[in-house]
């Protein structure tokens, strides 16, 4: 047990069977607020606009999250300067600022700080294992110096690169989680979810799971496959799930980035807070104890997770002071027909209309079918040229 006055670590909490609530999707949330540029999706806001990042951390903490992930998604040096993206801050400055902000807010509650690394342009461009591992180590060194509580390798489409990340992160001596952005079909090389999980556990991950690219239902089902693979191999792990807040029943192996609505037309797919109740319960029933969210998750979504699992956690989040259970606050509404909606069965069974009579309910995803090693995925420091863009426009117009 942790000494008096010290927070218990992530593994202590999970081994005790406790629910750990993760935070939400910083890059999408801050893009909508005007602090992140869609396209590169890099986190320089941690250094440029710390007040915005701090406030979002606080909102997730108030909503019930007890992990503050450092805003270091895509904060590797190669990604920060990819395709002509100019920076006023170094990767080290961004990573250090993100750690300080996460720790400041985590100390305001019973939250832990997780330092995160993610997939790199160098891997897609077929750089060597040593080159890619050096990128992860540079970020990890900042996290160790800032004494984060644990580390996450998240958002990996290829399990091989995730293994390399875990191998580096475990040298820190801190607990390591590994989260892939894959669905039931497996990674982009066709490695099954179960086999992916086994590889990650053998590489040194204590917690394995899924984040991003797919909706909660798909992600929970994929984690179930990972769990089955780990158990079949006679190994042990804890499990995490941090899905999208968008419905993706029509996605292929690549997930939501293949949807024609990505990234600027996804709003009609957003899950309601009541959908989040269902996700939290299904994840818990599946044996997943680290339950959070990724792109599209706003604080009210995280609050719904915390409210659904309040019986297991033993408390409600601070944000529930302004939210009646299952719409009970509507009892105070002035209109009687709205007061009539102040009940669980109404919201639990509602089938929301989109208000878009000429729009389809499902889309046809792009299916370019390219991955590591393909010429179109070779990354560069220079800005994408007009000639390169024209070639891509022509491919898209021809339907690949």
């Amino acid at each position: 047990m942790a000494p008096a006055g010290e927070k218990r670590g992530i593994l202590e909490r999970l081994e005790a069977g406790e629910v750990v609530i993760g935070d939400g999707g910083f890059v999408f949330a801050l893009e909508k607020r005007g602090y992140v540029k869609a396209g590169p999706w890099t986190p320089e806001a941690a250094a440029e606009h710390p007040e915005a990042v701090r406030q979002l951390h606080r909102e997730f903490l108030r909503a019930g999250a007890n992990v503050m992930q450092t805003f270091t998604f895509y904060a590797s040096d190669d990604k920060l300067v990819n395709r002509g993206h100019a920076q006023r801050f170094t990767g080290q400055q961004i990573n250090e600022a993100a750690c300080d902000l996460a720790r400041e807010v985590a100390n305001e509650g019973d939250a832990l700080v997780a330092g995160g690394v993610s997939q790199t342009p160098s891997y897609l461009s077929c750089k060597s294992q040593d080159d890619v591992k050096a990128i992860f180590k540079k970020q990890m060194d900042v996290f160790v110096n800032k004494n984060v509580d644990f580390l996450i390798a998240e958002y990996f489409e290829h399990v091989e690169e995730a293994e390399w990340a875990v191998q580096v992160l475990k040298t820190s001596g801190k607990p390591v989680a590994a989260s892939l952005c894959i669905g039931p079909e497996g990674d982009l090389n066709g490695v099954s979810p179960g086999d992916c999980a086994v590889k990650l556990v053998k590489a040194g991950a204590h917690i394995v799971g899924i984040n991003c690219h797919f909706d909660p239902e798909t992600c929970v089902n994929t984690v179930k496959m990972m769990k089955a693979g780990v158990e079949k191999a006679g190994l042990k792990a804890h499990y995490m799930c941090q899905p999208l807040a968008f419905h993706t029943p029509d996605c292929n192996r690549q997930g939501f980035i293949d949807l024609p609505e990505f990234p600027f037309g996804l709003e009609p797919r957003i899950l309601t807070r009541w959908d989040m109740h269902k996700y939290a319960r299904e994840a818990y029933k599946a044996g997943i104890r680290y339950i959070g969210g990724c792109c599209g998750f706003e604080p009210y979504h995280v609050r719904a997770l915390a409210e659904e699992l309040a019986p297991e956690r033993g408390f409600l989040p601070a944000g529930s002071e302004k939210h009646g259970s299952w719409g009970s606050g509507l009892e105070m509404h002035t209109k009687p027909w709205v007061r009539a909606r102040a009940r669980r069965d109404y919201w639990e069974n509602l089938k929301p209309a989109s208000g878009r009579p000429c729009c389809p309910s499902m889309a046809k995803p792009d299916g370019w079918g390219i991955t590591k090693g393909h010429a179109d995925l070779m990354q560069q420091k220079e800005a994408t040229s007009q000639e390169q863009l024209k070639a891509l426009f022509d491919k898209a117009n021809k339907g690949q």
Side-chain angles (χ1 to χ4, degrees):
M1 293 181 63
E6 287 189 21
K7 294 178 182 178
R8 291 168 304 118
I10 186 67
L11 296 182
E12 286 181 272
R13 299 180 190 211
L14 293 173
E15 286 164 6
E18 295 179 22
V19 173
V20 173
I21 301 291
D23 55 13
F26 269 68
V27 289
F28 263 51
L30 289 171
E31 191 276 333
K32 288 179 171 63
R33 289 160 169 79
Y35 298 103
V36 165
K37 179 179 283 188
W41 304 109
T42 47
E44 57 270 19
E48 287 181 341
H49 298 285
E51 73 288 350
V53 177
R54 182 186 295 111
Q55 177 62 23
L56 190 54
H57 275 307
R58 283 190 173 135
E59 290 180 22
F60 282 124
L61 181 72
R62 179 174 171 79
N66 47 8
V67 173
M68 299 290 106
Q69 279 190 234
T70 58
F71 185 38
T72 53
F73 176 78
Y74 274 171
S76 60
D77 285 344
D78 59 339
K79 179 62 177 174
L80 289 169
V81 297
N82 195 44
R83 294 197 174 276
H85 189 38
Q87 292 289 345
R88 293 194 293 120
F89 298 92
T90 66
Q92 181 168 337
Q93 288 173 319
I94 293 168
N95 282 280
E96 287 176 344
C99 289
D100 290 342
L101 291 166
R103 177 60 70 191
E104 177 187 348
V105 177
N107 286 346
E108 297 172 4
D110 185 33
L112 301 173
V113 175
V117 302
S118 47
Q119 65 183 13
T120 64
S122 292
Y123 180 82
L124 286 179
S125 298
C126 300
K127 295 291 181 66
S128 71
Q129 180 177 166
D130 287 345
D131 287 342
V132 175
K133 283 186 170 182
I135 291 169
F136 295 138
K137 185 178 186 305
K138 192 170 183 179
Q139 278 190 275
M140 182 193 73
D141 287 345
V142 174
F143 300 146
V144 171
N145 185 54
K146 291 293 185 177
N147 197 28
V148 302
D149 298 303
F150 68 103
L151 300 167
I152 301 179
E154 70 166 0
Y155 195 81
F156 286 85
E157 297 170 307
H158 302 86
V159 70
E160 179 183 57
E161 188 183 14
E163 287 180 89
W164 296 354
V166 170
Q167 288 163 4
V168 171
L169 297 183
K170 75 175 183 179
T171 65
S172 69
K174 294 180 179 291
V176 176
S179 188
L180 305 177
C181 50
I182 66 172
E185 294 180 60
D187 84 344
L188 294 190
N189 286 327
V191 181
S192 72
D195 287 345
C196 283
V198 169
K199 288 176 181 291
L200 294 173
V201 173
K202 287 183 175 179
H206 304 92
I207 309 163
V208 295
I210 298 295
N211 80 291
C212 207
H213 275 207
F214 297 93
D215 60 25
E217 182 178 357
T218 304
C219 288
V220 168
N221 287 337
T222 306
V223 177
K224 287 180 182 178
M225 297 169 73
M226 297 178 88
K227 186 171 184 285
V230 170
E231 292 173 351
K232 183 177 179 180
L235 301 171
K236 291 185 178 180
H238 299 288
Y239 300 94
M240 67 187 300
C241 189
Q242 301 205 100
L244 299 174
F246 304 108
H247 291 285
T248 62
D250 41 354
C251 278
N252 55 23
R253 184 192 296 270
Q254 187 74 71
F256 82 141
I257 61 174
D258 267 12
L259 291 174
E261 302 98 327
F262 176 87
F264 300 127
L266 290 164
E267 284 82 358
R269 295 174 175 265
I270 292 175
L271 275 76
T272 68
R273 64 194 68 195
W274 316 117
D275 294 325
M276 292 301 176
H277 277 263
K278 180 180 179 182
Y279 153 51
R281 184 54 54 194
E282 291 303 313
Y284 187 86
K285 285 164 56 179
I288 301 166
R289 292 296 178 268
Y290 187 145
I291 303 170
C294 199
C295 298
F297 265 73
E298 292 283 346
Y300 74 95
H301 289 124
V302 171
R303 182 179 62 189
L305 305 182
E307 289 181 342
E308 174 63 30
L309 295 172
E312 287 77 13
R313 300 178 85 203
F315 61 93
L316 285 166
S320 292
E321 295 171 6
K322 298 294 185 181
H323 187 245
S325 177
W326 290 101
S328 61
L330 297 180
E331 295 169 4
M332 294 182 277
H333 201 280
T334 56
K335 302 295 190 289
W337 57 90
V338 178
R339 292 199 298 273
R341 298 170 190 162
R343 62 188 196 276
R344 177 171 181 162
D345 66 307
Y346 178 87
W347 294 110
E348 204 165 32
N349 296 306
L350 180 70
K351 296 188 183 303
S354 70
R356 297 173 179 268
C358 297
C359 291
S361 61
M362 306 275 267
K364 182 181 179 182
D366 290 327
W368 286 31
I370 62 175
T371 187
K372 177 193 174 187
H374 191 282
D376 287 344
L377 279 180
M378 292 298 173
Q379 304 301 304
Q380 61 191 49
K381 284 189 177 181
E382 301 78 22
T384 306
S385 69
Q386 291 302 307
E387 291 78 10
Q388 289 173 321
L389 285 173
K390 184 179 184 304
L392 295 176
F393 297 157
D394 289 343
K395 279 189 177 183
N397 288 335
K398 292 176 182 175
Q400 262 294 286

